[in-house]
Amino acid sequence: MKMRKKSDLPSKLCEGCGLSFAWRKKWEKDWASVKYCSERCRRARPSVSVKKSMDVLAIASVKHI
C-alpha cells in the first residue's frame, strides 16, 4: 500500500470549532456524514434549540438594519 501525504487527503471544516481536519481511515465508509473533528467538538455542539434561537436572532437583526 502506497503512503499518501496528508496534504493529498480530502479535508473539511469542523462545525464545532471551525478548524480544518483531514480524512481518516476510520471515516472511510461514512466520510460524507462526518461533521466534527473530534468527540470533544461533537459533545460540545450547541443544541438544536440554541441553533434555532440564534437563527431567529440573526434574522431579527437583519430586519432592523
Side-chain angles (χ1 to χ4, degrees):
M1 183 171 172
K2 185 178 176 184
M3 297 295 291
R4 292 186 174 172
K5 293 181 182 175
K6 195 163 190 164
S7 61
D8 294 339
L9 297 173
S11 63
K12 293 184 178 186
L13 291 178
C14 176
E15 290 185 14
C17 63
L19 296 177
S20 177
F21 63 98
W23 180 90
R24 293 184 188 170
K25 177 73 175 169
K26 69 179 185 178
W27 294 330
E28 183 175 24
K29 292 181 181 177
D30 63 341
W31 175 244
S33 64
V34 175
K35 298 178 183 179
Y36 304 99
C37 64
S38 65
E39 279 295 311
R40 183 177 181 178
C41 284
R42 188 183 63 79
R43 281 190 220 117
R45 71 181 188 264
S47 65
V48 173
S49 62
V50 171
K51 284 185 182 179
K52 285 183 181 179
S53 64
M54 289 174 69
D55 290 342
V56 169
L57 289 174
I59 292 169
S61 65
V62 170
K63 288 182 180 180
H64 291 292
I65 295 178

